[in-house]
Amino acid sequence: MIYQKPKGTADILPGESEVWEKIEKISRETFKVFGYQEIRTPIFEDYNVFARNVGDTSDIVTKEMYDFHDKGNRLLALRPEGTAGTVRAYVENKLYGPEYPKPYKVYYMGPMFRYERPQSGRQRQFNQIGVEALNSESPEIDVEVISMAILLLNKLGVHNVKLVINSLGNDDSREKYRKALIEYLEPYYDNLSEDSKKRLYKNPLRVLDSKDEQDKKIVANAPSILDYLDDYSTKYFEKVKKLLSDLEIKYEIDNEMVRGLDYYTHTIFEIMSDSKAFGGKWTTVCAGGRYNGLISQLGGPDKGGIGFGMGVERLILLLKQENPDFLNAKGPKLYIVSADSQGDKLAFELMDKLRKKGVYVEKSYSNAKVGKQIKDASRRNADYYVVIGKNEVRSHQLKFKKLDSDTEKLASFEELISNPQDILN
Ligand code: ATP
Ligand code: MG
């Protein structure tokens, strides 16, 4: 019996895992200069951290969650996203106390789970790198979070993206808009999809996010949320736009964008690409927004927050297309070829000494012919190789040859060990 991985999951194998490490490293470095620190929360949480007693009507929560009862009959769910768990931890650990910085800035990276139909860039276990600025309510923070996402993409070598923003306003604005939307949609009731019918009175904003073609046509002429924002929400959104322009960040406004979760308020955004990697179809790589009601819904103070989640699988598809160099995994600095058993003994010692100095070295572990070992060096993409046989054992003089050129360097065994970086550069 050969087992297969569950549908919608992936093995990240050597070769690819280096890419993940590099993305994670650049993310950490980027977040650090903005003052974000890592938070690690459980992969599963109480079901209601996400559902909030079915206050959430989104697909993610109502249809796609991996929820289950454990052996103690607790209702749990594998996290479908990072924000709710982070807010749960923030509230439980009272990180809003006066002794903590405000905003409280954190980032996370790890797997998320959604029961979706797997396809390119869409899995059931996928990964997000995300940030949250908790205990914050300021257009500056919103723009900081957006600019950080764009900077991260740029640092990864992705430049061809567009930023799309919208505002959902505060509760008052949303309530007014909700009413207007119901009024607009009611005459079309019979033509709406079953999902949208169900959502019309519970959360009509969800209808705007419907993927159903008929729904999309109906929604095309719906009133715009932007016409229902109250004074505070309008000014807030104006300020966000002004600050984006001050930082020379280009954006488009999409007043139909509502995002996939119910807790958003005010600023929401998506960073999209129509790269060949996505068959030229506009695809969201990074998405986020402000959630001013969520902290209090989860038992904390009435404070706001904003964050984003970047889908790592989609990011890698994009990187492969837009910045192929990013993926070139480095081979060993040096590959030691041994010509005979005496040489092999010295090679083994040399390898040990160099590794202790932090140099990536490989050798052959078989008694293959010299030519075969050199081929192996090339297959492993080594920078240099050196052949060690009787003569080298006697003289301790070594000749290093660069694999992709005629460059040769001479150095003694001892020189190499005391100064490997210089000799193998
Ligand atoms: P979509 O509309 O593409 O389903 P979403 O609105 O459900 O996206 P979010 O919940 O905002 O997505 O998650 C943020 C990012 O996480 C997405 O932009 C995407 O890059 C990634 N993502 C979401 N779901 C998946 C998935 N099933 N597989 C891979 N990546 C995903
Ligand atoms: Mg989705």
mmCIF file of all heavy atoms in Angstrom, residues 60 114 116 121-123 126 128 211 259-261 284-287 309-311 313-314, ligand 1:
data_model
loop_
_atom_site.group_PDB
_atom_site.id
_atom_site.type_symbol
_atom_site.label_atom_id
_atom_site.label_comp_id
_atom_site.label_asym_id
_atom_site.label_seq_id
_atom_site.Cartn_x
_atom_site.Cartn_y
_atom_site.Cartn_z
ATOM 1 N N ILE A 60 -15.959 31.143 4.247
ATOM 2 C CA ILE A 60 -14.784 30.623 4.962
ATOM 3 C C ILE A 60 -15.220 29.981 6.269
ATOM 4 O O ILE A 60 -14.774 28.892 6.626
ATOM 5 C CB ILE A 60 -13.757 31.757 5.216
ATOM 6 C CG1 ILE A 60 -13.221 32.287 3.891
ATOM 7 C CG2 ILE A 60 -12.624 31.283 6.118
ATOM 8 C CD1 ILE A 60 -12.344 33.516 4.014
ATOM 9 N N ARG A 114 -8.726 25.301 4.714
ATOM 10 C CA ARG A 114 -10.070 25.597 4.208
ATOM 11 C C ARG A 114 -10.490 24.471 3.280
ATOM 12 O O ARG A 114 -9.711 24.065 2.413
ATOM 13 C CB ARG A 114 -10.088 26.921 3.424
ATOM 14 C CG ARG A 114 -9.790 28.127 4.295
ATOM 15 C CD ARG A 114 -9.877 29.411 3.493
ATOM 16 N NE ARG A 114 -9.290 30.502 4.261
ATOM 17 C CZ ARG A 114 -9.124 31.747 3.792
ATOM 18 N NH1 ARG A 114 -9.500 32.039 2.560
ATOM 19 N NH2 ARG A 114 -8.579 32.681 4.547
ATOM 20 N N GLU A 116 -11.818 23.696 0.359
ATOM 21 C CA GLU A 116 -12.146 24.319 -0.922
ATOM 22 C C GLU A 116 -11.846 23.323 -2.034
ATOM 23 O O GLU A 116 -11.186 22.313 -1.820
ATOM 24 C CB GLU A 116 -11.263 25.547 -1.153
ATOM 25 C CG GLU A 116 -11.453 26.628 -0.119
ATOM 26 C CD GLU A 116 -10.933 27.964 -0.622
ATOM 27 O OE1 GLU A 116 -11.590 28.527 -1.503
ATOM 28 O OE2 GLU A 116 -9.895 28.437 -0.135
ATOM 29 N N GLY A 121 -2.935 27.353 -7.154
ATOM 30 C CA GLY A 121 -2.987 28.473 -6.207
ATOM 31 C C GLY A 121 -4.108 28.371 -5.194
ATOM 32 O O GLY A 121 -4.375 29.334 -4.478
ATOM 33 N N ARG A 122 -4.760 27.233 -5.127
ATOM 34 C CA ARG A 122 -5.827 27.061 -4.130
ATOM 35 C C ARG A 122 -5.738 25.660 -3.539
ATOM 36 O O ARG A 122 -5.915 24.674 -4.240
ATOM 37 C CB ARG A 122 -7.196 27.293 -4.782
ATOM 38 C CG ARG A 122 -8.329 27.409 -3.762
ATOM 39 C CD ARG A 122 -9.664 27.740 -4.397
ATOM 40 N NE ARG A 122 -9.725 29.048 -5.020
ATOM 41 C CZ ARG A 122 -9.798 30.201 -4.350
ATOM 42 N NH1 ARG A 122 -9.798 30.208 -3.034
ATOM 43 N NH2 ARG A 122 -9.861 31.341 -4.999
ATOM 44 N N GLN A 123 -5.428 25.590 -2.271
ATOM 45 C CA GLN A 123 -5.264 24.303 -1.606
ATOM 46 C C GLN A 123 -6.152 24.236 -0.370
ATOM 47 O O GLN A 123 -6.762 25.221 0.006
ATOM 48 C CB GLN A 123 -3.795 24.138 -1.171
ATOM 49 C CG GLN A 123 -2.845 24.099 -2.332
ATOM 50 C CD GLN A 123 -1.396 24.018 -1.917
ATOM 51 O OE1 GLN A 123 -0.527 24.035 -2.769
ATOM 52 N NE2 GLN A 123 -1.120 23.943 -0.620
ATOM 53 N N PHE A 126 -2.953 25.557 3.154
ATOM 54 C CA PHE A 126 -2.096 26.525 2.472
ATOM 55 C C PHE A 126 -1.443 27.390 3.540
ATOM 56 O O PHE A 126 -1.726 27.241 4.729
ATOM 57 C CB PHE A 126 -2.906 27.378 1.478
ATOM 58 C CG PHE A 126 -3.962 28.231 2.128
ATOM 59 C CD1 PHE A 126 -3.727 29.578 2.381
ATOM 60 C CD2 PHE A 126 -5.174 27.686 2.513
ATOM 61 C CE1 PHE A 126 -4.691 30.369 2.992
ATOM 62 C CE2 PHE A 126 -6.147 28.470 3.124
ATOM 63 C CZ PHE A 126 -5.903 29.818 3.362
ATOM 64 N N GLN A 128 -0.027 31.181 5.030
ATOM 65 C CA GLN A 128 -0.094 32.637 4.982
ATOM 66 C C GLN A 128 1.019 33.240 5.830
ATOM 67 O O GLN A 128 1.378 32.710 6.875
ATOM 68 C CB GLN A 128 -1.434 33.137 5.538
ATOM 69 C CG GLN A 128 -2.571 33.049 4.534
ATOM 70 C CD GLN A 128 -3.858 33.649 5.069
ATOM 71 O OE1 GLN A 128 -3.974 33.935 6.255
ATOM 72 N NE2 GLN A 128 -4.828 33.833 4.201
ATOM 73 N N LYS A 211 -19.663 34.676 -6.165
ATOM 74 C CA LYS A 211 -18.947 34.290 -7.386
ATOM 75 C C LYS A 211 -19.940 33.851 -8.470
ATOM 76 O O LYS A 211 -19.564 33.556 -9.580
ATOM 77 C CB LYS A 211 -17.945 33.156 -7.079
ATOM 78 C CG LYS A 211 -16.962 33.467 -5.942
ATOM 79 C CD LYS A 211 -15.663 34.011 -6.477
ATOM 80 C CE LYS A 211 -14.542 34.277 -5.488
ATOM 81 N NZ LYS A 211 -14.740 34.854 -4.216
ATOM 82 N N ARG A 259 -14.399 41.704 0.685
ATOM 83 C CA ARG A 259 -13.496 40.741 1.321
ATOM 84 C C ARG A 259 -14.247 39.531 1.884
ATOM 85 O O ARG A 259 -15.435 39.592 2.169
ATOM 86 C CB ARG A 259 -12.646 41.382 2.427
ATOM 87 C CG ARG A 259 -11.911 42.628 1.993
ATOM 88 C CD ARG A 259 -10.578 42.325 1.321
ATOM 89 N NE ARG A 259 -9.868 41.307 2.074
ATOM 90 C CZ ARG A 259 -9.746 40.056 1.686
ATOM 91 N NH1 ARG A 259 -10.213 39.663 0.527
ATOM 92 N NH2 ARG A 259 -9.134 39.188 2.414
ATOM 93 N N GLY A 260 -13.487 38.471 2.092
ATOM 94 C CA GLY A 260 -14.086 37.174 2.390
ATOM 95 C C GLY A 260 -14.508 36.909 3.833
ATOM 96 O O GLY A 260 -15.018 35.848 4.137
ATOM 97 N N LEU A 261 -14.288 37.848 4.736
ATOM 98 C CA LEU A 261 -14.685 37.616 6.132
ATOM 99 C C LEU A 261 -15.567 38.772 6.588
ATOM 100 O O LEU A 261 -15.478 39.879 6.067
ATOM 101 C CB LEU A 261 -13.437 37.509 7.020
ATOM 102 C CG LEU A 261 -12.629 36.229 6.780
ATOM 103 C CD1 LEU A 261 -11.160 36.455 6.995
ATOM 104 C CD2 LEU A 261 -13.131 35.089 7.657
ATOM 105 N N THR A 284 -5.575 37.634 -6.372
ATOM 106 C CA THR A 284 -5.141 38.296 -5.136
ATOM 107 C C THR A 284 -4.036 37.488 -4.459
ATOM 108 O O THR A 284 -4.207 36.304 -4.197
ATOM 109 C CB THR A 284 -6.341 38.450 -4.186
ATOM 110 O OG1 THR A 284 -7.370 39.140 -4.890
ATOM 111 C CG2 THR A 284 -5.952 39.230 -2.944
ATOM 112 N N VAL A 285 -2.941 38.168 -4.196
ATOM 113 C CA VAL A 285 -1.824 37.516 -3.525
ATOM 114 C C VAL A 285 -1.828 37.873 -2.041
ATOM 115 O O VAL A 285 -1.437 37.095 -1.185
ATOM 116 C CB VAL A 285 -0.481 37.965 -4.140
ATOM 117 C CG1 VAL A 285 0.673 37.206 -3.511
ATOM 118 C CG2 VAL A 285 -0.494 37.761 -5.633
ATOM 119 N N CYS A 286 -2.260 39.089 -1.766
ATOM 120 C CA CYS A 286 -2.219 39.576 -0.392
ATOM 121 C C CYS A 286 -3.497 40.370 -0.148
ATOM 122 O O CYS A 286 -3.934 41.132 -1.015
ATOM 123 C CB CYS A 286 -1.001 40.469 -0.219
ATOM 124 S SG CYS A 286 -0.909 41.265 1.387
ATOM 125 N N ALA A 287 -4.113 40.152 1.006
ATOM 126 C CA ALA A 287 -5.370 40.842 1.267
ATOM 127 C C ALA A 287 -5.503 41.147 2.742
ATOM 128 O O ALA A 287 -4.984 40.416 3.587
ATOM 129 C CB ALA A 287 -6.535 39.960 0.817
ATOM 130 N N GLY A 309 -3.025 39.188 5.159
ATOM 131 C CA GLY A 309 -2.513 37.837 5.007
ATOM 132 C C GLY A 309 -2.035 37.667 3.581
ATOM 133 O O GLY A 309 -2.732 38.055 2.636
ATOM 134 N N MET A 310 -0.834 37.132 3.440
ATOM 135 C CA MET A 310 -0.283 36.915 2.104
ATOM 136 C C MET A 310 -0.268 35.411 1.863
ATOM 137 O O MET A 310 0.199 34.653 2.711
ATOM 138 C CB MET A 310 1.134 37.490 2.045
ATOM 139 C CG MET A 310 1.615 37.671 0.636
ATOM 140 S SD MET A 310 3.166 38.572 0.468
ATOM 141 C CE MET A 310 2.809 40.237 0.931
ATOM 142 N N GLY A 311 -0.805 34.982 0.737
ATOM 143 C CA GLY A 311 -0.833 33.553 0.433
ATOM 144 C C GLY A 311 0.509 33.120 -0.146
ATOM 145 O O GLY A 311 0.890 33.543 -1.234
ATOM 146 N N GLU A 313 1.688 30.146 -1.236
ATOM 147 C CA GLU A 313 1.693 29.314 -2.448
ATOM 148 C C GLU A 313 1.513 30.184 -3.688
ATOM 149 O O GLU A 313 2.214 30.016 -4.687
ATOM 150 C CB GLU A 313 0.584 28.257 -2.389
ATOM 151 C CG GLU A 313 0.882 27.075 -1.478
ATOM 152 C CD GLU A 313 0.665 27.374 -0.009
ATOM 153 O OE1 GLU A 313 0.207 28.491 0.321
ATOM 154 O OE2 GLU A 313 0.957 26.493 0.821
ATOM 155 N N ARG A 314 0.567 31.124 -3.612
ATOM 156 C CA ARG A 314 0.354 32.010 -4.762
ATOM 157 C C ARG A 314 1.553 32.913 -4.985
ATOM 158 O O ARG A 314 1.938 33.188 -6.121
ATOM 159 C CB ARG A 314 -0.888 32.875 -4.543
ATOM 160 C CG ARG A 314 -2.124 32.119 -4.920
ATOM 161 C CD ARG A 314 -3.348 32.974 -4.873
ATOM 162 N NE ARG A 314 -4.456 32.133 -4.421
ATOM 163 C CZ ARG A 314 -5.659 32.569 -4.159
ATOM 164 N NH1 ARG A 314 -5.937 33.849 -4.284
ATOM 165 N NH2 ARG A 314 -6.588 31.737 -3.750
HETATM 166 P P1 ATP B 1 -10.030 34.055 -2.666
HETATM 167 O O1 ATP B 1 -11.064 35.029 -3.052
HETATM 168 O O2 ATP B 1 -8.921 33.901 -3.669
HETATM 169 O O3 ATP B 1 -10.586 32.738 -2.210
HETATM 170 P P2 ATP B 1 -9.918 34.932 0.033
HETATM 171 O O4 ATP B 1 -10.627 36.213 0.070
HETATM 172 O O5 ATP B 1 -10.614 33.691 0.466
HETATM 173 O O6 ATP B 1 -9.288 34.695 -1.412
HETATM 174 P P3 ATP B 1 -8.211 35.684 2.218
HETATM 175 O O7 ATP B 1 -9.011 34.995 3.234
HETATM 176 O O8 ATP B 1 -8.217 37.142 2.152
HETATM 177 O O9 ATP B 1 -8.544 35.063 0.779
HETATM 178 O O10 ATP B 1 -6.696 35.199 2.334
HETATM 179 C C1 ATP B 1 -5.600 36.009 1.913
HETATM 180 C C2 ATP B 1 -4.763 35.316 0.868
HETATM 181 O O11 ATP B 1 -4.525 33.969 1.212
HETATM 182 C C3 ATP B 1 -5.427 35.223 -0.488
HETATM 183 O O12 ATP B 1 -5.262 36.412 -1.188
HETATM 184 C C4 ATP B 1 -4.644 34.096 -1.127
HETATM 185 O O13 ATP B 1 -3.399 34.560 -1.612
HETATM 186 C C5 ATP B 1 -4.424 33.182 0.030
HETATM 187 N N1 ATP B 1 -5.402 32.087 0.045
HETATM 188 C C6 ATP B 1 -6.683 32.112 0.492
HETATM 189 N N2 ATP B 1 -7.261 30.914 0.349
HETATM 190 C C7 ATP B 1 -6.330 30.099 -0.197
HETATM 191 C C8 ATP B 1 -6.288 28.723 -0.580
HETATM 192 N N3 ATP B 1 -7.341 27.924 -0.419
HETATM 193 N N4 ATP B 1 -5.152 28.221 -1.119
HETATM 194 C C9 ATP B 1 -4.057 29.009 -1.287
HETATM 195 N N5 ATP B 1 -4.024 30.306 -0.935
HETATM 196 C C10 ATP B 1 -5.137 30.850 -0.408
#
